[in-house]
Amino acid sequence: MQSMELLELLRRPEGKTLEFRQELSKSPERLARTVCAFANTAGGDILFGIADKTQYVVGVPDPQKLEETIENIIADWIAPDIIPTIETLVYEQSSVLVVRIYPNSSSRPHYIKKETLENATYIRVGSSNRLADLQMIEELQRLGKRRSFEEEQLIALTTDAVDFDPIANCFKPIRQLKKTDLISLKLVTEFQDKLVPTNAGMILFGKERERYFPNAKIKAVRFFGLTKDLKTIDSRDIDSYPAIAAQEAMDFIKKHANYESEISNSQQGERWNVQRSERWNIPVAAVREAIINAILHADYSQKGACIRLFIYQNRIEIENPGLLVTGLTIEDITRGISKLRNPIIGRIFNELGLIEQYGSGINKIIQECEKFGLDTPTFEEIATHFRVTIYTTPKKTPLLDDLDNAIVDVLRYQYFSNPEEGLSTKEIMNKANISQRATRNHLLSLVESGFIVEIGRGTTDPKKKYFLREEYAKIPTFIPNNKIRQNLQGILDSNVDGFTRKIEEIEKILKIPAGPIIYSENYNSNLATFVKKDIKNELSYPNKGALVL
């Protein structure tokens, strides 16, 4: 790990795979719990020598001694054994100790030795360590055996427990199903010379699903306002077979949505046409993907928990029992990395055409919300559940004043041109052309609000640097239409020759590297055409370095 990787870690907030500590706690059990939680979940890094709250680099006085102490605590307190990678990194003559824990599925679950497995197994949820319940411990054990809950057999039942007719009806548009196909679909499996249902078979098409899996259903509720405390307008328990329940859930969504007309102008040559298009007032495709994902990734071993579809005045929440599959983080799934908790259910949904491509669901949810001009959906692990929140009101401009925006523009330019290098207060002051006092005051406010990250040894560190958080580098920047027209049209009408030169001029106005800016999936890359498509009052960055007008 190089010092640049240390800077990358310091720019991230604490969370599922990252924890900052100024020093080793006097209680060795506190460290043991964190190491256990990381090893049982998705791994992670613990950085020693980072001040609490401020995240200043204060360093550790004797890194070699601290490394030996940490190794002894991990060896003495945790079972099965965990072997960490420990490295000392130097930041401006201060030593930072990085303890890296790797997830090891074959050894899980890890627990604190002085207690029993049931009472001392920890998992990581967000930035905290949680005691795992019995169902989570069993899932960790299955993970070690490389088996999923849906593959387990119901040995007291026969194949008659699986209802063949609805299976055949679902597959009818695709192919004619035979009863022997239930084996290849893993809805039934062999046990001691007889065929018995799998959990997947009962969850998907069991005749007595309610008896064996009473929570394999979707609870749909439409609330009156913004919270659960207010009255409900409508509710329904959707307990049909999952392949059918997905559509019934969408019917519930559409019942409480509006189908509206949108009038837009389009230009064909010298003529302008007024076009009328119709669409739902919420991103129906995004909600559908979230519901399908919830069915595919639900932990059906959890007792007393079902999939929840809650509609509020300003958002839709889809929540399923079960955290992300062990080893995955929120960052992973937004990058298209996916692991199915229920591969049997996933394969059948894929054959039925309910999913298009494994791992594409989360990105599709994000893209559909972007098309509707909505805030980026949030993805959260809450207790032992996973929740997707899709917002249904248009995104709002961040509450920044002119000086805040000037600083953010400078740091955004730096992010796209050289993301590995931050800027000092003096550099920001000069680039933004504002006073030193104003720069310091606004930087302090932006750090407190979470827009930017401050990395240094303390408040008086002359080498302290500021970085714009990645998620804010890509948020929309709202600029009045007339300003866009005046500035960009002025460049078009100028005597500046050549496309490259005009892009350079645009860069000076927008304060963001313009080389990759002129990009749009919908419009030609011709600059004049691009500017004349000025039909929105925003600039946005859906891809790094990409500007869509």
Side-chain angles (χ1 to χ4, degrees):
M1 186 188 297
Q2 302 300 316
S3 57
M4 192 57 67
E5 292 185 63
L6 173 61
L7 287 175
E8 185 63 33
L9 289 171
L10 292 174
R11 289 167 63 178
R12 291 166 44 197
E14 285 187 297
K16 187 173 183 176
T17 60
L18 183 64
E19 183 162 300
F20 298 124
R21 294 197 178 182
Q22 184 164 336
E23 58 190 2
L24 183 64
S25 169
K26 293 181 180 179
S27 169
E29 187 172 352
R30 183 186 172 199
L31 173 63
R33 288 177 178 177
T34 300
V35 173
C36 267
F38 278 162
N40 283 332
T41 315
D45 298 311
I46 309 171
L47 275 62
F48 288 91
I50 308 299
D52 296 335
K53 297 182 180 179
T54 64
Q55 293 183 202
Y56 287 135
V57 180
V58 297
V60 294
D62 190 343
Q64 186 173 353
K65 181 179 179 181
L66 178 60
E67 180 177 344
E68 292 174 358
T69 303
I70 290 172
E71 287 176 339
N72 290 333
I73 290 173
I74 293 174
D76 294 342
W77 279 76
I78 301 172
D81 292 339
I82 294 174
I83 302 176
T85 296
I86 303 178
E87 187 174 0
T88 300
L89 300 176
V90 177
Y91 179 87
E92 295 184 16
Q93 301 180 342
S94 293
S95 296
V96 175
L97 201 69
V98 181
V99 181
R100 175 157 290 174
I101 307 300
Y102 297 92
N104 187 343
S105 60
S106 61
S107 299
R108 296 187 185 107
H110 298 277
Y111 63 98
I112 307 299
K113 286 182 180 179
K114 71 174 187 177
E115 300 285 349
T116 63
L117 177 69
E118 292 77 11
N119 296 324
T121 298
Y122 289 88
I123 57 172
R124 188 79 171 178
V125 180
S127 58
S128 62
N129 306 319
R130 301 280 183 87
L131 197 62
D133 59 19
L134 182 59
Q135 285 77 28
M136 178 58 69
I137 292 171
E138 290 174 348
E139 182 173 351
L140 291 171
Q141 290 171 332
R142 283 192 295 271
L143 187 65
K145 298 175 183 177
R146 300 186 181 278
R147 288 185 63 86
S148 62
F149 174 74
E150 63 168 4
E151 292 178 278
E152 293 184 353
Q153 303 161 325
L154 292 163
I155 59 176
L157 302 178
T158 67
T159 55
D160 290 338
V162 178
D163 197 345
F164 180 75
D165 289 341
I167 306 175
N169 287 334
C170 286
F171 274 88
K172 191 173 181 179
I174 304 163
R175 60 187 170 103
Q176 186 174 357
L177 208 66
K178 301 176 183 178
K179 287 193 175 182
T180 53
D181 291 328
L182 301 185
I183 300 173
S184 61
L185 292 173
K186 295 187 178 180
L187 299 178
V188 301
T189 186
E190 189 173 340
F191 175 78
Q192 294 182 356
D193 297 327
K194 69 173 183 176
L195 292 175
V196 299
T198 60
N199 283 338
M202 288 298 292
I203 291 167
L204 286 172
F205 297 105
K207 292 179 180 177
E208 296 184 279
R209 292 173 63 255
E210 296 82 2
R211 176 182 173 187
Y212 292 93
F213 297 100
N215 296 298
K217 62 182 178 181
I218 301 173
K219 184 174 184 60
V221 183
R222 171 63 166 99
F223 292 97
F224 179 77
L226 303 178
T227 69
K228 297 176 186 176
D229 298 331
L230 298 174
K231 68 178 183 179
T232 62
I233 296 175
D234 190 12
S235 66
R236 182 185 172 191
D237 283 351
I238 303 171
D239 54 9
S240 304
Y241 296 128
I244 301 169
Q247 182 55 52
E248 292 181 356
M250 288 307 303
D251 292 340
F252 186 87
I253 284 285
K254 292 176 180 179
K255 177 182 177 182
H256 295 285
N258 295 320
Y259 198 60
E260 57 189 24
S261 297
E262 184 180 66
I263 305 299
S264 61
N265 294 329
S266 66
Q267 186 177 17
Q268 297 177 352
E270 298 299 322
R271 298 181 60 191
W272 283 86
N273 294 324
V274 178
Q275 295 181 338
R276 179 176 181 271
S277 60
E278 295 183 336
R279 68 171 188 174
W280 293 100
N281 68 330
I282 61 172
V284 171
V287 178
R288 178 185 178 278
E289 288 294 328
I291 291 170
I292 296 292
N293 273 0
I295 295 172
L296 295 181
H297 294 282
D299 181 359
Y300 294 102
S301 70
Q302 284 195 23
K303 308 298 182 185
C306 62
I307 296 170
R308 296 172 183 170
L309 169 60
F310 289 169
I311 306 174
Y312 297 92
Q313 185 176 332
N314 65 340
R315 69 194 187 278
I316 299 171
E317 293 178 356
I318 300 97
E319 183 175 300
N320 63 266
L323 301 171
L324 289 177
V325 176
T326 304
L328 283 182
T329 64
I330 301 292
E331 292 76 16
D332 289 334
I333 64 173
T334 56
R335 292 199 303 267
I337 301 172
S338 178
K339 296 179 184 177
L340 276 176
R341 170 176 274 113
N342 302 302
I344 297 174
I345 298 175
R347 176 190 169 186
I348 290 175
F349 270 46
N350 187 40
E351 284 202 44
L352 294 176
L354 294 172
I355 56 175
E356 297 174 1
Q357 183 181 353
Y358 294 123
S360 65
I362 297 298
N363 282 331
K364 186 170 183 180
I365 293 170
I366 296 171
Q367 291 165 6
E368 288 296 323
C369 290
E370 285 180 350
K371 289 180 184 177
F372 272 70
L374 304 174
D375 280 318
T376 302
T378 56
F379 306 95
E380 306 170 276
E381 292 182 298
I382 301 172
T384 57
H385 290 200
F386 179 74
R387 178 188 295 169
V388 178
T389 302
I390 295 173
Y391 301 97
T392 54
T393 54
K395 63 177 70 177
K396 297 179 180 179
T397 307
L399 298 177
L400 302 179
D401 62 23
D402 290 342
L403 295 185
D404 287 331
N405 278 317
I407 292 172
V408 168
D409 280 342
V410 167
L411 291 173
R412 181 183 285 115
Y413 183 99
Q414 183 70 12
Y415 172 86
F416 284 121
S417 59
N418 190 0
E420 296 179 349
E421 278 293 326
L423 295 176
S424 65
T425 302
K426 185 176 181 180
E427 289 171 324
I428 294 171
M429 176 185 72
N430 291 334
K431 290 177 182 292
N433 195 28
I434 56 180
S435 70
Q436 185 179 49
R437 181 177 181 181
T439 302
R440 286 178 173 171
N441 289 338
H442 285 268
L443 282 173
L444 178 62
S445 173
L446 288 167
V447 169
E448 289 177 347
S449 63
F451 268 80
I452 63 177
V453 179
E454 178 185 48
I455 296 179
R457 298 178 63 188
T459 54
T460 59
D461 181 4
K463 297 182 179 180
K464 180 170 56 181
K465 300 282 188 179
Y466 295 91
F467 299 81
L468 186 64
R469 287 198 188 277
E470 182 176 1
E471 58 266 35
Y472 292 115
K474 299 178 182 179
I475 62 174
T477 301
F478 290 80
I479 300 176
N481 269 351
N482 59 353
K483 184 174 181 179
I484 296 174
R485 277 194 292 270
Q486 290 169 5
N487 291 335
L488 301 189
Q489 192 65 48
I491 293 172
L492 290 175
D493 297 337
S494 70
N495 295 324
V496 176
D497 295 327
F499 187 69
T500 302
R501 287 286 307 280
K502 290 184 177 181
I503 289 180
E504 291 173 354
E505 293 300 315
I506 288 176
E507 178 179 299
K508 293 178 183 178
I509 294 172
L510 300 180
K511 297 181 181 180
I512 181 171
I517 279 181
I518 308 305
Y519 163 87
S520 174
E521 294 180 355
N522 300 319
Y523 311 129
N524 296 327
S525 60
N526 178 274
L527 182 60
T529 303
F530 179 81
V531 174
K532 287 178 181 177
K533 293 293 184 180
D534 178 17
I535 58 175
K536 292 185 178 180
N537 66 336
E538 66 182 29
L539 301 175
S540 61
Y541 309 92
N543 299 302
K544 181 178 284 191
L547 171 67
V548 177
L549 184 60

